Amino acid sequence: MKAYLWFWGAFLLFFALPFPCILYFGTSWPVALVDRSAPWPALLLLALSMALWLTLLFAFLHYLLLGPPRALHRVQSILADGEPRSALIEQAEQTGVQVRGFAQWKLQLSFKNLSGTPIREQMLVVDSKPQLHRFEVGRHIDARLGRTPGAFPNIVLDGAQPELNVASLWRRGIGAALGIAAVAAAYVLAYRLQNEGLGWTFLSFGHPLLVCPLVLCGYALGLRLLGRLLHADTRGDALKYRGIGVEARVLKVRQTGTYLNEQPQVEFQLEYIDREGNVQQARVRRFIPLIELANIPREHVTLLYDPDDRSNVRLEGV
């Protein structure tokens, strides 16, 4: 799986960084005088280019560099003030990874969320006390839920001893510094090679200084939208951990015409009764494997709804 992700990561980065440079220098360089931009539009393009690179830098710092310390603080807060739960271990297997000589386990836990609805969650843990056989299937372990769900993590095992991977943070910090230096060098090199005494007028919408960050921002936005579609973002996790479970009646099922990895997107039009006895309607879209299309439920489904927004629902088991 990791090799698969590395391959696609390298594939996408090729089309975001080297490919625009190859295409530009093969077709548009050197820039003829008649093809140069006017001074003010050139400065606007320069500002847009720098804004895009700064947006990428902010996203990197926010999610990859500052994210782990925020997650550590959240774990400590949940351990101190979280909602206690007894979680049933439904599945348990070792990942093959060793952390300081201790085995890492992948667990599937079953427990009640903040609204008392049974849910399942997978998590990775390190077994620092293997002699206790704590992670056997069928056993219950004590855990705590965050009282304000959303940001990862939302569940922490009692007695957990969280710590930062300092080496990983250093690698990310060094990577960020090298990236900043490379982008700054690209600006300096492009200016020296192409200005010809006319400033930044060589900039255009096809220049790598603009295309590269634009493509990378597009990737980031696409991942964010994909996470929203799959309920794999903060909003989806918040609904999972505080949503109220009900059985809904299926009013209509249709394919939307959208596909992801050749899997069609299906829209469910649903009707359910909330805890107050009011009839609510909602629409949910899910990507369904082709081989499962014939088996999708057409009468009743189980869903979670947000007690603060009845139209915000999440299908379970589909």
Side-chain angles (χ1 to χ4, degrees), residues 50-109:
M50 296 182 69
L52 290 172
W53 282 115
L54 289 174
T55 299
L56 290 170
L57 176 61
F58 172 80
F60 183 91
L61 295 176
H62 180 75
Y63 291 106
L64 297 180
L65 205 58
L66 299 180
R70 284 199 306 270
L72 176 63
H73 176 72
R74 181 167 172 80
V75 167
Q76 293 171 340
S77 300
I78 293 174
L79 287 173
D81 191 41
E83 186 80 18
R85 286 291 187 276
S86 178
L88 172 66
I89 301 177
E90 294 186 334
Q91 297 179 16
E93 60 180 4
Q94 293 191 27
T95 64
V97 176
Q98 296 286 322
V99 179
R100 295 184 179 179
F102 297 112
Q104 184 186 69
W105 288 75
K106 180 181 180 180
L107 307 179
Q108 178 171 296
L109 305 177

Side-chain angles (χ1 to χ4, degrees), residues 272-280 305 310:
Y272 69 94
I273 300 176
D274 61 23
R275 282 188 174 180
E276 288 74 30
N278 300 316
V279 177
Q280 306 287 345
Y305 73 87
R310 300 297 197 273

Side-chain angles (χ1 to χ4, degrees), residues 59-201:
F60 183 91
L61 295 176
H62 180 75
Y63 291 106
L64 297 180
L65 205 58
L66 299 180
R70 284 199 306 270
L72 176 63
H73 176 72
R74 181 167 172 80
V75 167
Q76 293 171 340
S77 300
I78 293 174
L79 287 173
D81 191 41
E83 186 80 18
R85 286 291 187 276
S86 178
L88 172 66
I89 301 177
E90 294 186 334
Q91 297 179 16
E93 60 180 4
Q94 293 191 27
T95 64
V97 176
Q98 296 286 322
V99 179
R100 295 184 179 179
F102 297 112
Q104 184 186 69
W105 288 75
K106 180 181 180 180
L107 307 179
Q108 178 171 296
L109 305 177
S110 174
F111 53 91
K112 292 183 177 181
N113 69 5
L114 295 172
S115 298
T117 299
I119 61 172
R120 292 182 173 88
E121 184 63 282
Q122 290 186 346
M123 66 184 309
L124 296 175
V125 298
V126 176
D127 188 6
S128 60
K129 299 177 181 179
Q131 70 276 9
L132 300 180
H133 304 286
R134 295 176 296 171
F135 303 135
E136 294 180 347
V137 174
R139 297 194 63 173
H140 285 80
I141 53 178
D142 294 328
R144 290 185 177 270
L145 306 184
R147 297 181 184 273
T148 55
F152 178 84
N154 292 291
I155 179 173
V156 180
L157 299 185
D158 265 350
Q161 299 177 347
E163 59 183 30
L164 286 176
N165 187 336
V166 179
S168 177
L169 288 179
W170 269 108
R171 288 194 296 269
R172 295 178 185 184
I174 293 172
L178 292 176
I180 292 172
V183 172
Y187 275 101
V188 173
L189 184 62
Y191 185 81
R192 289 185 176 180
L193 287 176
Q194 297 183 275
N195 81 89
E196 297 181 2
L198 299 174
W200 292 95
T201 58

